[in-house]
Amino acid sequence: MPKFTGYVSDHTKFIEELKSKTPGMEERQQEGRSLLWDKLPISLDEEARVKQSRLRQNPYPYQNKF
């Protein structure tokens, strides 16, 4: 099946136009991504400590304990 290299979707055109009108947008996107997703890996000991320190939540918090 041949590829159509000349086609550019409306979405791609919109994003390219937005990026050209807004200088520095990609840098701000990368900074925002790094705040949420780019984390350093934690050690297995640290992961175990965090897992042990979590409080267990009841499946239904409003149910009385008997």
Side-chain angles (χ1 to χ4, degrees), residues 17-31:
E17 182 181 332
L18 181 66
K19 286 181 180 180
S20 67
K21 288 182 180 178
T22 314
M25 185 173 84
E26 284 195 57
E27 290 80 16
R28 290 192 304 273
Q29 280 182 320
Q30 291 297 325
E31 289 171 8

Side-chain angles (χ1 to χ4, degrees), residues 5 9 29 32 37-38 43 46 49 60 62:
T5 57
S9 72
Q29 280 182 320
W37 298 105
D38 296 340
S43 68
E46 179 73 13
R49 187 189 65 75
Y60 187 69
Y62 302 110

